[in-house]
Amino acid sequence: MTVPSVKLNSGYDIPQLGFGVFLVPADEAEKAVSEALEVGYRHIDTAAIYRNEEGVGAAIASSGVPRDELFVTTKLWNDQQAGEKPHDAIRSSLDKLGLDHVDLYLTHWPTPERDTYSNAWQKLIEIRDAGLTRSIGVSNHLPEHLDRLVADTGVVPAVDQIELHPALQQSNVLAWAESNGMKIESWGPLGQGKYPLFEHPAVTAAAEAHGVTPAQAVLRWHLQRGFIVFPKSVRKERMAENFDVFGFELTASEIEQINAIDPGDGSGRVGSHPLEFN
Ligand code: NAD
């Protein structure tokens, strides 16, 4: 199965569907990522704070998959944004991953109270220029943070990885991305199992119409909206289910009905708010 790719502003391609490892314990990460690679995933999303980069690296090393067929993302944690710390942080991540470069390096949160996210962005530019990552981006940044990064450096992030699912569509960030040539990555694409997406009539109707599961219908919604997505599961059958989303297409009306799930007042958020997470 060929996963479509999305062209980033760096000129590199990213597979639109990947595998995320948030909350996968360190001692389970190697097995989970090995199974994901067996299923066919070639894009892995981890982070320093997930404390499982070593397991991810071990799975990559033993997989036999050529490095240039893999797309690996990791992230700079919030307490490593200041001064020259990002340079040490990427070297530590690369060490744990057993790689000489990642494909995408992100600042994890703006943490506005620290006011170090712009410094972190400047360091990410240096890290990219040193060849330690191919592309650079951010996570959980709102338009006000993105505007500041561009004002300070002139460099537009390749992606913003934000909480995004039918119940929280973040139209302000999507509009910024559209007008600045930045791509959107959806985290918590299935609502992390916290938001009852799988029982929503718009989702169940679309799933039934195509003979797929509600999770597959929601993932298909992300793909057709143009988002990059990396659902997480440690169960191999669900990894396979989440990867098997290229044999059907939602209609425009099904997409519209799933779009209408967002209550529009932010109440669909299941994770932290970027202005409050410090
Ligand atoms: P998710 O929406 O992918 O939900 C994962 C949960 O959904 C699983 O624990 C499982 O219980 C359930 N699930 C998965 N597949 C299923 C299926 N087919 N049927 C039924 N239930 C299923 O949430 P997530 O893991 O938080 O997000 C995906 C990835 O996004 C993470 O692994 C991580 O890589 C990234 N992420 C980033 C941030 C950030 O701040 N940048 C925050 C959270 C997650």
Side-chain angles (χ1 to χ4, degrees):
M1 184 162 345
T2 308
V3 173
S5 53
V6 170
K7 179 81 67 196
L8 301 176
N9 65 8
S10 56
Y12 288 100
D13 291 322
I14 182 170
Q16 200 184 354
L17 178 68
F19 181 67
V21 295
F22 177 50
L23 295 183
V24 179
D27 58 350
E28 287 177 35
E30 181 175 355
K31 179 169 178 277
V33 174
S34 295
E35 290 183 348
L37 293 171
E38 280 165 27
V39 165
Y41 291 89
R42 291 293 179 266
H43 164 188
I44 310 293
D45 184 90
T46 184
I49 196 66
Y50 301 170
R51 308 205 190 285
N52 56 21
E53 288 169 311
E54 277 153 330
V56 172
I60 289 172
S62 63
S63 69
V65 178
R67 174 69 184 91
D68 63 5
E69 289 177 20
L70 287 173
F71 193 102
V72 181
T73 299
T74 195
K75 313 186 192 89
L76 175 74
W77 188 239
N78 305 337
D79 62 2
Q80 300 297 305
Q81 290 182 351
E84 297 301 316
K85 285 183 183 175
H87 287 290
D88 294 336
I90 181 66
R91 291 205 181 271
S92 161
S93 284
L94 290 173
D95 247 26
K96 289 177 179 156
L97 288 162
L99 300 175
D100 62 6
H101 71 277
V102 287
D103 296 282
L104 180 61
Y105 196 43
L106 309 179
T107 47
H108 210 140
W109 289 87
T111 64
E113 262 177 31
R114 293 172 196 259
D115 198 23
T116 46
Y117 64 91
S118 182
N119 179 72
W121 185 238
Q122 289 168 46
K123 300 302 158 188
L124 258 64
I125 294 166
E126 294 171 14
I127 286 166
R128 178 200 62 192
D129 292 347
L132 302 179
T133 182
R134 295 225 155 124
S135 304
I136 50 176
V138 296
S139 181
N140 299 304
H141 282 45
L142 300 177
E144 65 202 81
H145 309 123
L146 295 161
D147 282 339
R148 165 122 178 251
L149 299 186
V150 175
D152 288 355
T153 66
V155 179
V156 175
V159 305
D160 193 356
Q161 181 179 128
I162 55 173
E163 180 185 336
L164 183 64
H165 44 74
L168 185 75
Q169 293 175 39
Q170 307 236 37
S171 56
N172 56 343
V173 186
L174 301 193
W176 197 97
E178 181 72 30
S179 45
N180 290 277
M182 180 183 75
K183 299 299 178 189
I184 293 290
E185 296 191 330
S186 306
W187 71 249
L190 304 174
Q192 293 188 328
K194 296 176 193 161
Y195 193 92
L197 280 177
F198 297 162
E199 289 89 55
H200 195 286
V203 172
T204 54
E208 275 164 32
H210 295 278
V212 298
T213 66
Q216 289 173 316
V218 172
L219 291 171
R220 192 67 216 173
W221 174 87
H222 286 275
L223 296 169
Q224 288 184 225
R225 291 285 311 265
F227 309 138
I228 299 156
V229 66
F230 24 82
K232 174 221 135 183
S233 176
V234 291
R235 290 164 53 177
K236 195 172 184 186
E237 69 277 11
R238 278 187 173 167
M239 293 178 197
E241 175 186 328
N242 296 344
F243 196 69
D244 183 16
V245 288
F246 299 102
F248 68 102
E249 195 158 343
L250 300 178
T251 64
S253 143
E254 287 163 345
I255 297 271
E256 281 304 315
Q257 285 167 45
I258 298 176
N259 287 346
I261 293 176
D262 190 340
D265 58 2
S267 60
R269 189 183 290 279
V270 297
S272 300
H273 194 290
L275 294 179
E276 289 154 14
F277 191 77
N278 282 290

